[in-house]
Amino acid sequence: MPSLEDELFPSTPGKFKIERAHNFNRQFQRCFASTSTMFLWALFLIALTASYLSFQSFVDSGNRYFTASWGGIQLEKQIRNSAQIQRPGGMSVLVTGAAGFVGSHVSLALKKRGDGVVGLDNFNNYYDPSLKKARESLLNSQGILVVEGDLNDAGLLAKLFDVVAFTHVLHLAAQAGVRYAMENPNSYVHSNIAGLVTLLEICKSADPQPAIVWASSSSVYGLNENVPFSESDRTDRPASLYAATKKAGEEITHTYNHIYGLSITGLRFFTVYGPWGRPDMAYFSFTRNILQGKPITIYRGKNKADLARDFTYIDDIVKGCLGSLDTSGESTGSGGKKRGPAPYRNFNLGNTSPVKVPTLVNILEKLLRMKAKRKIVEMPGNGDVPFTHANISLAQREFRYKPTTDLQTGLKKFVRWYLSYYGYNRKDVH
Ligand SMILES: O=C(O)[C@H]1O[C@H](OP(=O)(O)OP(=O)(O)OC[C@H]2O[C@@H](n3ccc(=O)[nH]c3=O)[C@H](O)[C@@H]2O)[C@H](O)[C@@H](O)[C@@H]1O
């Protein structure tokens, strides 16, 4: 005997046997003909209609929520003011991660020279959000608005592009940090992959399409041993998930350049430091711990070799970002269609003179006039690379990028800012 399931559904899609279908119809009619069954069917239909109507009202209330949280005409006016261009030939730039370290500095520099800037930031708590809020206040005082929202909110991004025809997007929002990727891998996928794709989808459909300059990372060089690192060196051996997501970003942006004609510039930043910096970075946490009399952990590589970084001062990075924006060239597509080839570029933005981590600590000790309690440990297998060193000739040629701040000078400015912001010896600095 064939089972009921066998009777009703064919074993292979597309091979429904006709006689079986007839049988099924007859059974169906017999069943529907009885009055009590009809009553049950009517009840079922009423319930279905009621649940459809309540679902519709739920969707409507969702839309209302979006409008309310969007902030309406008042917010649109603020966005337009913030995006206002104040110089001939200026640009209107959407800066993602505007309340972040690099984002806040570049936003201020753009505004100062007369460009329009609108910021976007999700103010997440990867590090103390009050520092991000303080940076936001600084931006607000210069007429820059920072909209609170996540890169993955396509509705919000689309709305921003409805209000302003941005000429450029400076995409700096990301999950940063090399070692944290082992603790929270999904946050890297959320921001650096999914968020990036959401942003690119909106940019490709925008009319006009903006040119995009975005933050890649020196970490894409991974296990590369050619020194100094050149843009033409291998980048297919990342040492951390963070690096892998940045490398993926370079490939993803390439496809949007290729298919949709978006102008793309990726900037491989080399360990950026300075005032208003990131508390998760070594120079920042070392300063805090030295001042609080707490030990600092200094990693050491194979054969007791010191680790080294091509530490790059924030003002030099700002110049590199402005140079990249100014030379980005235009996107060629519109409404999601490519009209011709558009620029696709990647640049190293480093300092070209690596410094060993213990030397960085020596400099901090002198500036703070305090001794560090050093705890030297073998570099754990946590995604770190032993050294970084940038070859910057490409950026030099394209937009005369030339870093001018050595580590001693830059750290002096950082320490001065740190002490004015946190004061000496504050125990509550995280
Ligand atoms: O340039 C880059 O590509 C990357 O630079 C930094 O990453 P990293 O160079 O690891 O910067 P820090 O976390 O400040 O570490 C600097 C050096 O200090 C060392 N370190 C760090 C922390 C610590 O407790 N002890 C210690 O010796 C690290 O091993 C590294 O050699 C940023 O955190 C990344 O977001 C950025 O993409």
Side-chain angles (χ1 to χ4, degrees):
M1 274 280 282
S3 71
L4 184 62
E5 211 175 24
D6 268 357
E7 280 292 321
L8 296 181
F9 301 105
S11 55
T12 317
K15 285 191 179 171
F16 199 131
K17 290 190 187 126
I18 294 184
E19 336 66 271
R20 284 189 187 181
H22 278 304
N23 283 342
F24 174 63
N25 280 346
R26 254 180 271 121
Q27 278 173 15
F28 185 75
Q29 279 159 6
R30 264 204 308 275
C31 158
F32 208 75
S34 92
T35 345
S36 62
T37 324
M38 262 178 84
F39 179 66
L40 281 176
W41 273 104
L43 265 184
F44 173 66
L45 285 175
I46 290 166
L48 204 67
T49 315
S51 54
Y52 172 73
L53 289 176
S54 67
F55 176 69
Q56 273 302 68
S57 89
F58 170 72
V59 170
D60 285 351
S61 74
N63 287 342
R64 270 199 300 279
Y65 172 73
F66 179 74
T67 317
S69 66
W70 166 244
I73 292 166
Q74 191 51 35
L75 180 61
E76 287 179 19
K77 210 167 130 195
Q78 287 177 299
I79 291 170
R80 277 197 198 94
N81 284 343
S82 191
Q84 199 77 47
I85 300 171
Q86 310 278 1
R87 69 176 174 106
M91 43 182 80
S92 56
V93 190
L94 174 66
V95 180
T96 72
F101 172 33
V102 179
S104 55
H105 280 274
V106 187
S107 295
L108 288 169
L110 284 167
K111 194 73 180 178
K112 196 168 169 197
R113 69 178 202 175
D115 292 319
V117 181
V118 175
L120 176 73
D121 206 293
N122 70 1
F123 293 91
N124 72 16
N125 63 359
Y126 168 59
Y127 62 79
D128 183 10
S130 76
L131 180 57
K132 299 178 184 185
K133 284 285 169 194
R135 295 188 193 120
E136 183 195 23
S137 302
L138 201 61
L139 300 196
N140 290 164
S141 72
Q142 301 307 306
I144 303 168
L145 177 75
V146 182
V147 176
E148 182 162 356
D150 194 281
L151 279 178
N152 290 281
D153 186 345
L156 174 62
L157 293 179
K159 196 86 184 147
L160 290 174
F161 274 88
D162 278 350
V163 178
V164 178
F166 293 107
T167 58
H168 293 75
V169 172
L170 180 62
H171 173 48
L172 302 173
Q175 177 58 61
V178 175
R179 289 161 293 278
Y180 180 65
M182 290 179 73
E183 270 175 61
N184 188 357
N186 285 325
S187 64
Y188 290 78
V189 177
H190 176 82
S191 296
N192 305 358
I193 307 279
L196 174 66
V197 172
T198 307
L199 178 68
L200 290 170
E201 279 292 312
I202 299 296
C203 291
K204 94 171 191 220
S205 306
D207 200 359
Q209 289 178 335
I212 297 166
V213 175
W214 73 285
S216 181
S217 158
S218 73
S219 64
V220 298
Y221 290 107
L223 308 182
N224 174 51
E225 282 176 350
N226 290 352
V227 187
F229 301 169
S230 294
E231 287 84 349
S232 56
D233 287 346
R234 282 180 71 172
T235 53
D236 58 352
R237 290 172 297 173
S240 64
L241 182 71
Y242 167 69
T245 61
K246 286 297 182 181
K247 172 63 181 167
E250 293 188 355
E251 313 293 13
I252 290 167
T253 51
H254 184 268
T255 61
Y256 279 80
N257 166 265
H258 175 68
I259 301 176
Y260 302 109
L262 281 177
S263 161
I264 302 284
T265 305
L267 302 177
R268 295 175 178 168
F269 294 148
F270 281 70
T271 316
V272 188
Y273 72 99
W276 296 97
R278 276 177 28 213
D280 62 313
M281 289 183 68
Y283 73 94
F284 201 119
S285 62
F286 287 173
T287 300
R288 178 191 60 215
N289 283 14
I290 293 170
L291 285 169
Q292 294 179 353
K294 292 182 185 160
I296 60 170
T297 305
I298 301 175
Y299 301 132
R300 202 158 59 179
K302 274 193 198 128
N303 305 321
K304 302 196 170 163
D306 289 327
L307 304 185
R309 286 292 180 273
D310 199 1
F311 295 102
T312 310
Y313 189 62
I314 182 65
D315 290 1
D316 291 322
I317 290 293
V318 169
K319 284 186 207 142
C321 290
L322 297 185
S324 304
L325 286 164
D326 291 341
T327 56
S328 64
E330 290 186 358
S331 293
T332 61
S334 69
K337 284 230 158 46
K338 181 181 177 179
R339 304 253 183 263
Y344 175 81
R345 317 179 298 168
N346 282 308
F347 294 110
N348 286 343
L349 291 186
N351 195 46
T352 67
S353 64
V355 175
K356 291 177 174 174
V357 175
T359 310
L360 168 119
V361 179
N362 295 345
I363 299 172
L364 287 177
E365 284 179 330
K366 282 210 189 85
L367 292 169
L368 298 168
R369 297 198 192 95
M370 286 178 80
K371 276 268 163 234
K373 293 180 183 152
R374 302 178 189 223
K375 210 174 99 196
I376 296 168
V377 305
E378 286 282 297
M379 181 172 87
N382 57 8
D384 251 333
V385 291
F387 65 89
T388 61
H389 184 180
N391 175 337
I392 55 161
S393 44
L394 201 59
Q396 223 153 20
R397 207 168 59 225
E398 288 291 310
F399 45 86
R400 293 199 294 276
Y401 171 70
K402 194 174 181 298
T404 55
T405 314
D406 62 27
L407 187 61
Q408 166 87 32
T409 312
L411 281 180
K412 192 168 174 181
K413 291 183 182 178
F414 165 72
V415 166
R416 196 177 299 149
W417 167 80
Y418 184 100
L419 295 176
S420 72
Y421 186 78
Y422 291 112
Y424 262 96
N425 214 5
R426 279 241 326 256
K427 295 273 184 245
D428 56 341
V429 181
H430 305 295

